[in-house]
Amino acid sequence: MLRQHIVVCTGAWLLMAVTARAHPPAAPPTLVDATAEQRIHTPPGFRREGKPQIYFGDDAVRLRATVVDRATGQPTPCRVNVVGADGNYYEPRDNPLANWSLFRAGNRLGKGPFRYYGWFFYTTGEFEVTVPPGLARVEVWKGFEFAPLAESVQALAGRTHDVKLSLERTRPMVAEGYYSGDTHIHLPRRNAIDDERALDLIAAEDIEFGYMLSANDGRSYTGEWQAQPIAPQRTQGAEAIASRGGYTIASGQEYVTASYGHVGMVLHARTLLEGQSVDPNRWPILGAMAGEARKLAGCSFNLHGGNGGEIYLDFAQQATDGVELLQFADYRGIGLEGWYHMLNIGCRFPAVGACDYPFCRVLGDCRTYVHSSERPDAVGWARAAAEGRSFFTTGPLLLLEVDGHRPGDVISRSAGDSPPFKARARVRTLVAPISYVELIVNGQSFARRDIAKNMDQKWFEFEAPVAVDRPLWIAARCGSKSPADRPDALAHTNPVFVAVDGRLPYAEASADWLLKRIDEQIDELEHRQFDERAQALEFYRASQAALLEIRRNRGQPLDSSPQTPTKN
């Protein structure tokens, strides 16, 4: 008699439920598209959605699998689906990474990327799983640079089959000087075992630098690591950096408020506001907390696209180092519109992509690649991200060069003495198709190329001349939607700025747009009543004054460089 047992982990689900209540979504819940969700979990070759299961049938077939890195020949952590002949997904009965399978963590309904993921589990590279008799398939992924694999096995009742798969890094971004990282991961680091699990998981998704954030619950904040209900980090700063096999983890904090938004801070030397308890919806505001982190050699990003609105105040004073823009396969919060307005007044306010795991679909499904002339450490990677030397992506690998300059660079020219620049965009993708790539100049699409669905796996590239007739910023972006017409593959570079006669780009309409957003935030704050309101208003009005100064001067000079974190 056949018996099937659906995996249930009450403790894990309870933990996720408690965490979700403590860390509410930054925006109203997205309506769930049932068709899109079904596509995510329908294995190729089947017409219906598969279910996550463990097989206990009397005729169970044992698959003993090893996944190795072709470069080393050694087992390598990775993400795996095992699809049975019935179209369901089978997990190992015993797996040290079981708690992070898609059935138990992640899978936030209604959130992209909307592509095929199945019901996967993570493994350190060796596992044994039982499946029903028939044709079974083992599917393997590891980040955005390794070619995905799939191997079928004719599983015979009562037999044991050995399966070996060899993953190859076919798109080594280190050859281009780029290194991957994710600045928003909620995995606890309470002890050495937690550290090993975190390193296993970021290795499975090939995230070279993973920044683990604790978080308060939005209603209160206490400056002790034990008091952080989400992913507590037992230490911060340089002491929290740990590496293994080319992968590095570091720690930080997410400061959660309902009134101002969220800010993520990494690498600061100790837990902020040690020994203090505050109401985060009153004071300190995000910019003040980011300032404290900066004093402790940390850097900060407005999270979730700056969903709470304070981002317009923070960027004006350069209180934070950038914005987490790409998340859930979408440009969140201020979106491209708000970010482009900031760039249009010459503010070098970089963006990053980050996943917010496990409040997302998959660990590292949005991430950032920074450029460095040599392999960075965790501090150097964060510094490069804060300087905008990067692109951010849900899968496509997108490179931009402007006369040999890369994102984060500033080119200085004199009016009338420069021939057109040659802007070149290059893109490759292994995990999701893209349909277009384009160059953006001062917030407008400047040149675009559509990409056929049968694009091969070489670099797709195109060039366009850009006249230097005024101060500029130049970026590249690419994207596509899933078959269900939902967000899937997106990538965007940070810009290269071109200063002319020492002046950065300036657009009056963008300055007015941003001032209106600040005025709205001041008006909202003035209608609130709490003891520390005067402090908050002082910060808000200082931001308004900074932006008014830019408008009065019709821009800002080249030497108005953003602040960046200092080394520990």
Side-chain angles (χ1 to χ4, degrees), residues 94-115:
D94 184 20
N95 177 11
L97 300 182
N99 285 342
W100 295 274
S101 73
L102 186 58
F103 184 70
R104 299 173 179 84
N107 196 40
R108 189 173 179 186
L109 297 178
K111 303 298 182 184
F114 287 92
R115 65 180 67 145

Side-chain angles (χ1 to χ4, degrees), residues 48-115:
R48 65 170 181 83
E49 181 180 6
K51 305 298 180 185
Q53 299 187 350
I54 289 179
Y55 193 76
F56 290 96
D58 296 336
D59 58 351
V61 182
R62 296 168 62 202
L63 300 182
R64 292 189 306 208
T66 303
V67 184
V68 301
D69 183 336
R70 182 170 295 180
T72 65
Q74 297 300 309
T76 188
C78 53
R79 169 165 42 99
V80 176
N81 283 327
V82 176
V83 183
D86 56 0
N88 290 320
Y89 296 88
Y90 291 91
E91 296 189 23
R93 301 181 190 183
D94 184 20
N95 177 11
L97 300 182
N99 285 342
W100 295 274
S101 73
L102 186 58
F103 184 70
R104 299 173 179 84
N107 196 40
R108 189 173 179 186
L109 297 178
K111 303 298 182 184
F114 287 92
R115 65 180 67 145

Side-chain angles (χ1 to χ4, degrees), residues 259-563:
S259 299
Y260 307 110
H262 301 196
V263 63
M265 298 154 290
V266 299
L267 297 172
H268 48 290
R270 61 178 182 270
T271 304
L272 295 177
L273 304 185
E274 277 189 322
Q276 300 181 49
S277 293
V278 299
D279 181 344
N281 297 302
R282 295 167 56 175
W283 183 269
I285 58 177
L286 308 187
M289 286 292 272
E292 291 301 310
R294 186 173 281 161
K295 292 175 185 176
L296 295 170
C299 63
S300 61
F301 299 91
N302 294 89
L303 301 184
H304 315 305
N307 60 289
E310 191 193 311
I311 185 172
Y312 296 113
L313 293 307
D314 294 335
F315 103 91
Q317 291 191 62
Q318 300 176 351
T320 54
D321 295 295
V323 56
E324 177 188 85
L325 194 63
L326 183 60
Q327 196 169 75
F328 309 149
D330 205 357
Y331 298 111
R332 299 192 66 195
I334 64 172
L336 291 182
E337 180 185 24
W339 188 46
Y340 286 0
H341 281 305
M342 294 173 180
L343 302 178
N344 281 348
I345 63 168
C347 285
R348 284 179 278 160
F349 193 67
V352 297
C355 71
D356 196 16
Y357 186 83
F359 304 96
C360 61
R361 187 72 70 175
V362 178
L363 174 62
D365 55 17
C366 294
R367 65 184 70 178
T368 301
Y369 277 83
V370 307
H371 185 267
S372 177
S373 58
E374 58 184 15
R375 182 174 182 82
D377 58 14
V379 175
W381 192 97
R383 176 187 292 274
E387 293 173 351
R389 302 188 180 281
S390 63
F391 69 90
F392 40 98
T393 179
T394 68
L397 305 172
L398 178 63
L399 304 183
L400 170 71
E401 291 184 9
V402 179
D403 271 16
H405 292 268
R406 299 182 180 87
D409 285 349
V410 180
I411 307 171
S412 184
R413 290 290 184 268
S414 298
D417 72 348
S418 294
F421 283 128
K422 181 174 68 177
R424 180 171 69 140
R426 294 187 289 153
V427 63
R428 298 171 92 168
T429 181
L430 287 170
V431 298
I434 56 174
S435 57
Y436 70 90
V437 59
E438 60 187 332
L439 292 170
I440 309 300
V441 177
N442 287 6
Q444 301 296 320
S445 179
F446 180 81
R448 175 180 169 122
R449 297 290 185 274
D450 292 329
I451 299 175
K453 290 185 178 179
N454 61 352
M455 168 188 175
D456 63 28
Q457 296 306 317
K458 297 179 181 178
W459 286 106
F460 179 92
E461 59 182 271
F462 79 99
E463 298 178 354
V466 181
V468 189
D469 55 355
R470 64 198 187 285
L472 304 170
W473 64 265
I474 304 167
R477 70 186 184 197
C478 66
S480 69
K481 291 186 177 181
S482 73
D485 197 35
R486 300 299 301 275
D488 183 7
L490 291 174
H492 205 302
T493 73
N494 274 291
V496 174
F497 278 91
V498 181
V500 176
D501 291 339
R503 306 295 293 182
L504 292 163
Y506 175 74
E508 186 90 3
S510 289
D512 290 343
W513 190 94
L514 291 163
L515 277 166
K516 184 177 180 180
R517 304 288 84 76
I518 288 179
D519 289 344
E520 291 168 350
Q521 292 298 307
I522 291 175
D523 182 67
E524 181 178 322
L525 185 58
E526 285 179 333
H527 283 83
R528 294 181 59 201
Q529 296 296 327
F530 57 96
D531 292 344
E532 302 90 347
R533 188 183 68 161
Q535 290 174 272
L537 277 172
E538 181 180 5
F539 182 92
Y540 277 34
R541 287 175 177 146
S543 297
Q544 183 186 53
L547 198 50
L548 285 169
E549 182 70 11
I550 292 174
R551 190 172 68 171
R552 275 193 295 271
N553 294 330
R554 298 191 60 78
Q556 50 191 329
L558 179 59
D559 60 7
S560 60
S561 59
Q563 297 186 50

